[in-house]
Amino acid sequence: MKDYQLFRKITRIIMQLSEELHVSSKRAMLIFYNSTVGQQLHDPKYGYQLMSDTYIVNDIKSELASK
């Protein structure tokens, strides 16, 4: 995945997290970048780049719930 495509995907995920968790976009960005899923999205071996935004958001929410 090209860098600009990945950055657009990350932006969509952060905005969706913000809406679903009822937090600011800044807080959603912190949640995303501090999550394991957010880190794994940058590595193609995990396959997150091919998953839908909603799938990734749900994984991040599951990770938050398990903490």
Side-chain angles (χ1 to χ4, degrees), residues 25-43:
S25 55
K26 185 175 181 177
R27 177 73 178 131
M29 184 170 36
L30 289 171
I31 291 169
F32 173 81
Y33 281 110
N34 288 315
S35 71
T36 302
V37 174
Q39 294 168 8
Q40 291 174 343
L41 182 63
H42 293 282
D43 191 342

Side-chain angles (χ1 to χ4, degrees), residues 9-46:
K9 184 173 193 66
I10 289 170
T11 301
R12 290 192 310 267
I13 291 166
I14 289 170
M15 296 312 296
Q16 187 173 343
L17 267 175
S18 174
E19 290 173 18
E20 291 190 20
L21 297 177
H22 305 289
V23 296
S24 69
S25 55
K26 185 175 181 177
R27 177 73 178 131
M29 184 170 36
L30 289 171
I31 291 169
F32 173 81
Y33 281 110
N34 288 315
S35 71
T36 302
V37 174
Q39 294 168 8
Q40 291 174 343
L41 182 63
H42 293 282
D43 191 342
K45 77 177 181 182
Y46 293 102

Side-chain angles (χ1 to χ4, degrees), residues 16-21 31 35 37 54-67:
Q16 187 173 343
L17 267 175
S18 174
E19 290 173 18
E20 291 190 20
L21 297 177
I31 291 169
S35 71
V37 174
T54 301
Y55 181 92
I56 295 169
V57 167
N58 287 337
D59 272 6
I60 293 171
K61 287 169 45 179
S62 294
E63 184 179 333
L64 286 173
S66 68
K67 285 186 178 182

